[in-house]
Amino acid sequence: MLLILFCPTGHAQTTLISEMDQLKWEKVMPGIWKASVGSMGLNPMDYANSPKTDAINELGDAPFPFAQEASRSLLTSNRASVRLPLDESEQIYGLGLEFEGINRRSEVYSLKVDHYGDIKGQTHAPVPFYISNKGYGVLINSAQRVKIHVGVSNRKDSNLPERIDRTTGKKLGCTSLV
């Protein structure tokens, strides 16, 4: 199963889930859905080969991997934000070359080409695609720089999860003032 997101821009900024719109998913082939946020300028998919539709049809259909109403988006003048839910034990793999393990959970990744490869969240070979241990994959189709928060709880309007240091993953010994 593959989910495709079309996102034109991306810059980090605090986003309240209550300000976000529900993503509208469109089924394009068996097991493949897409959702779009904003309008696409340069479309990287214009330079890809056509899909092998016969092979995809042979694979058969698959159910949507999570509650569609839990997927959200927000488009502003300088960024597009997308929120896709993860189960508590879900593991995420992909997003490009990194030398510090393969599970991307609980990290923030800036997908841009740089000379790093041994620092968490930075990569020499960025790839805007990830797969889940639940059996689905997500392609972020954007020609812009992409920043991905994978399983990082930092919403102001969440159910106040335990506070952790996003760099080390260790619990913080303080309480929230909210």
Side-chain angles (χ1 to χ4, degrees):
M1 173 186 326
L2 176 66
L3 303 174
I4 303 173
L5 289 170
F6 292 92
C7 302
T9 60
H11 297 288
Q13 186 173 334
T14 302
T15 302
L16 297 176
I17 196 167
S18 57
E19 297 172 348
M20 300 179 88
D21 297 321
Q22 185 175 337
L23 275 172
K24 293 174 179 55
W25 293 94
E26 171 191 350
K27 189 171 191 172
V28 292
M29 295 183 76
I32 300 176
W33 289 266
K34 76 173 183 178
S36 297
V37 178
S39 58
M40 183 64 74
L42 175 66
N43 183 355
M45 296 302 279
D46 288 344
Y47 303 94
N49 292 331
S50 298
K52 299 186 182 305
T53 55
D54 291 340
I56 292 171
N57 285 325
E58 281 183 34
L59 291 172
D61 208 356
F64 198 81
F66 47 77
Q68 289 188 29
E69 63 275 3
S71 60
R72 303 285 189 173
S73 69
L74 177 69
L75 184 64
T76 66
S77 61
N78 67 345
R79 70 184 167 92
S81 297
V82 174
R83 178 190 182 276
L84 301 178
L86 296 177
D87 286 347
E88 284 186 31
S89 62
E90 193 168 350
Q91 298 174 10
I92 299 297
Y93 304 98
L95 303 176
L97 175 68
E98 184 183 307
F99 303 120
E100 300 292 320
I102 59 174
N103 186 0
R104 303 298 184 233
R105 186 72 187 241
S106 300
E107 297 292 335
V108 178
Y109 294 90
S110 293
L111 299 187
K112 62 179 183 170
V113 175
D114 60 29
H115 64 283
Y116 301 104
D118 59 347
I119 298 174
K120 277 282 194 198
Q122 297 182 350
T123 179
H124 178 69
V127 178
F129 176 76
Y130 68 81
I131 58 173
S132 164
N133 65 332
K134 288 180 62 179
Y136 69 90
V138 174
L139 171 67
I140 301 158
N141 185 27
S142 175
Q144 302 293 323
R145 188 177 292 179
V146 175
K147 187 172 219 174
I148 301 175
H149 300 250
V150 184
V152 175
S153 296
N154 61 349
R155 293 190 344 257
K156 286 185 177 181
D157 56 350
S158 69
N159 292 338
L160 299 178
E162 286 188 61
R163 293 176 55 117
I164 62 167
D165 181 318
R166 292 187 343 191
T167 305
T168 65
K170 295 180 182 177
K171 293 180 185 177
L172 296 174
C174 56
T175 58
S176 174
L177 299 175
V178 179

